[in-house]
Amino acid sequence: MERVICLLIGYVFGLFQTAFFYGKAHGIDIRQYGSGNSGTTNALRVLGTKAGLIVFAGDCLKCVAAVVIVRLLYGTAHSDIIYLLCLYAGAGAILGHNFPFYMGFKGGKGIAATAGMILAFHPYFIVVAALLFFGTFFSTHYVSLGSLLVYAGFMIEMIVCGQLGVFGSMSQGQLLEMYAVAAFLTVMAYWKHRQNIVRLLHGEERKTYLFKKNKVDVEKKN
């Protein structure tokens, strides 16, 4: 039951679509411009660096908030499986971001929300994720490639840390459950980026820049 509650807590927080609300505050529906995604990268390309940073912070913090609430609720009563419960909260927030019911289940790709989950989950994960993403982004300017590498690193690190006992006294069965949730999130991220993967393989993926104008069609979609 605790798992379902944590998933629902995360989903409710994930429903706050920062890019959508920021766009509405500036007179546009972000889903009608650029890639059509309600996420950080599209906000950056369509509305600029300031918008991208605000959207990233909002989507990141909503996942942090969900995980913190779960820690407060279950940190004492279920300390043995608190990492598992926090992972469910993070997964719920990512699902809420990717599939918001009030937007026809069409949201973003969940990378900023994933950053929030990693930030709140365990300090070990922050360093690896930051190195993978920013190292890739600043050397290639491919947001998608950095995001995919973060998820690959997240999956590997989850298993390594679990088997080394970093998550405390969890049973092997509970660890396997954690790996399954992490694997689901990883597969979902790669599926959401399937078109990006095709473009990367063909050398056609768009590059993204923080401090200069991005080459992207920002005309309204028909």
Side-chain angles (χ1 to χ4, degrees):
M1 184 63 181
E2 292 82 7
R3 292 164 171 78
V4 175
I5 293 173
C6 291
L7 196 66
L8 289 175
I9 289 173
Y11 186 82
V12 169
F13 274 92
L15 290 175
F16 185 83
Q17 295 288 313
T18 314
F20 176 75
F21 293 126
Y22 186 92
K24 283 294 186 182
H26 289 77
I28 71 167
D29 183 342
I30 192 70
R31 298 171 299 171
Q32 298 298 318
Y33 294 81
S35 67
N37 284 309
S38 180
T40 298
T41 303
N42 199 36
L44 174 65
R45 288 171 174 166
V46 174
L47 296 169
T49 301
K50 178 183 176 181
L53 293 175
I54 290 173
V55 170
F56 177 83
D59 287 345
C60 181
L61 289 175
K62 68 188 180 186
C63 196
V64 171
V67 173
V68 168
I69 285 177
V70 165
R71 285 190 185 279
L72 292 174
L73 286 175
Y74 296 111
T76 301
H78 295 284
S79 59
D80 57 327
I81 59 168
I82 190 59
Y83 284 108
L84 176 60
L85 296 180
C86 286
L87 185 60
Y88 272 107
I94 294 168
L95 287 170
H97 176 79
N98 290 356
F99 307 106
F101 71 89
Y102 65 94
M103 292 170 59
F105 300 98
K106 294 180 180 180
K109 295 182 179 179
I111 300 305
T114 298
M117 179 182 69
I118 290 173
L119 184 65
F121 187 71
H122 197 286
Y124 288 173
F125 285 65
I126 300 171
V127 176
V128 173
L131 288 173
L132 285 172
F133 181 80
F134 290 110
T136 302
F137 175 71
F138 286 119
S139 60
T140 68
H141 295 286
Y142 291 136
V143 173
S144 57
L145 181 59
S147 302
L148 293 170
L149 289 177
V150 165
Y151 257 106
F154 170 71
M155 187 70 239
I156 293 169
E157 196 173 10
M158 180 70 73
I159 295 173
V160 171
C161 287
Q163 296 309 119
L164 289 177
V166 172
F167 304 132
S169 59
M170 293 177 63
S171 68
Q172 189 61 32
Q174 291 164 342
L175 287 172
L176 290 174
E177 185 179 350
M178 282 187 68
Y179 305 158
V181 175
F184 167 76
L185 293 175
T186 302
V187 170
M188 181 172 64
Y190 275 72
W191 180 77
K192 293 285 284 185
H193 284 81
R194 61 194 183 280
Q195 294 179 346
N196 302 85
I197 293 172
V198 172
R199 289 195 295 267
L200 283 167
L201 291 174
H202 290 86
E204 299 171 352
E205 179 69 327
R206 291 190 296 265
K207 293 187 176 185
T208 301
Y209 301 90
L210 282 179
F211 302 111
K212 66 179 182 178
K213 188 174 178 62
N214 292 286
K215 294 180 179 180
V216 59
D217 179 12
V218 294
E219 292 298 323
K220 189 172 182 180
K221 292 177 176 294
N222 294 321

